[in-house]
Amino acid sequence: MPEIVLLAIESSCDDTSAAVCIDGKVVSNLTANQKIHQDYGGVVPELASREHTKNIIPVVAEALKKAGVQASDLNAVAFTRGPGLMGSLLVGGMFAKSYAQALNIPLIDVHHMQAHVLAHFIDEPKPSFPFLCLTVSGGHTQIVLVKDYLDMEIVGETLDDAAGEAFDKTAKLLQLPYPGGPLIDKLAQTGNPHAFTFSEPQIEGLNFSFSGLKTNILYFLQKQTAQNPDFIETYKADICASVQHSIIQVLMKKLKRAAQEYGIREVAIAGGVSANSGLRSHLQQYGEKYHWNTYIPAFQYCTDNAGMIAITAYFKYLRGEFCPIDIPIQARWVM
Ligand code: KG4
Ligand code: ZN
């Protein structure tokens, strides 16, 4: 049986990642994280693209080495075409195009959010179709009805901020470095999730809104610190636990509603925020209560990674879905 060997590149935001996939198995997945954004409270696009240009060649070389494959073994090169930051996407995209052209092999364009969902097909257990996937990242919050590998429908999404943004913006208010999500998660573990309550957004249907929560938290902190300048330092863990709890409640309520409306008991989470320990345990609890089969990717496949790009490319390769070398990058790309 001939092997299908794919190289995949992910560079949509601030992580430079390369992976190799052989016959649908991700055999290497390497990511260079950019520390440069820590002090800015968010990703600085220009700095991100510059870091990608520094990282991309060593990361690809390492991914190939770790997989034990040569460039000449590759059958195709895949890359994240969008959505994401234009300058960041251009670095990975132009690298993938040049590599494919130099090797005279096909190019595969991958949708970043579709890839987050398909991260569930890297390891066991794999969900069966149709399933629902709550995809929560720094830029997106979506409930996706997944009918087949490459057949997905967004049934609910945020009308303003993403869940990851709610974590990151809260962290900024607490003077924590970017990305704040993992730090809030850590601090929340020693805090009381019911110490403070924040008003819940009242959004119809399966859509979300997080901008009101952000304002609510800002006013709450301003009021409290006016009375007690040490409020944040004294109650940091409780604040983190309470904010995290509020975000999780919003997400889980809509996910439960989607499961009821579609009569689906295969329920997954994906994207950077699916690394959150509170969200992971809530999904498990809901699963036990409502008899869902639940799916959570391994940590390395929750946040941005090329492994998920590689597995998506594998399904596209099997269908012969290649793209022309002059395909444009698409910073905004509806799934
Ligand atoms: O999917 P991802 O790596 O990049 C995007 O496509 O946006 O998601 C990044 C987001 C950031 O907002 C980060 O704070 C959040 O995922 N995140 C977390 C955790 N780990 C990453 N949020 C909460 N808890 C975590 N453990
Ligand atoms: Zn992502």
Side-chain angles (χ1 to χ4, degrees), residues 4 6 21-27 121-122 126 310-311 314-315:
I4 300 169
L6 306 175
C21 168
I22 302 179
D23 288 336
K25 268 188 88 65
V26 174
V27 291
F121 294 91
I122 296 175
K126 298 179 170 80
I311 196 77
Y314 175 69
F315 296 125

Side-chain angles (χ1 to χ4, degrees), residues 1-18:
M1 272 273 284
E3 282 186 335
I4 300 169
V5 186
L6 306 175
L7 169 69
I9 314 282
E10 153 64 32
S11 72
S12 64
C13 192
D14 60 337
D15 294 315
T16 320
S17 188

Side-chain angles (χ1 to χ4, degrees), residues 112 116 137-139 164-165 167-168 179-182 185 271-273 275-276 302-304:
H112 182 84
H116 268 303
S137 70
E165 250 176 304
F167 275 102
D168 296 335
D185 187 356
V273 181
N276 183 267
C302 286
T303 47
D304 288 349

Side-chain angles (χ1 to χ4, degrees), residues 22-83:
I22 302 179
D23 288 336
K25 268 188 88 65
V26 174
V27 291
S28 69
N29 177 47
L30 275 114
T31 305
N33 303 113
Q34 302 181 1
K35 304 272 176 264
I36 199 159
H37 310 284
Q38 273 179 354
D39 300 333
Y40 295 92
V43 175
V44 184
E46 178 64 23
L47 296 179
S49 10
R50 290 179 193 206
E51 289 296 295
H52 283 307
T53 61
K54 280 190 220 158
N55 294 338
I56 191 129
I57 291 172
V59 167
V60 168
E62 198 56 33
L64 291 173
K65 191 175 158 202
K66 201 162 168 238
V69 304
Q70 313 274 330
S72 56
D73 298 327
L74 296 172
N75 294 100
V77 181
F79 70 104
T80 305
R81 184 180 166 208

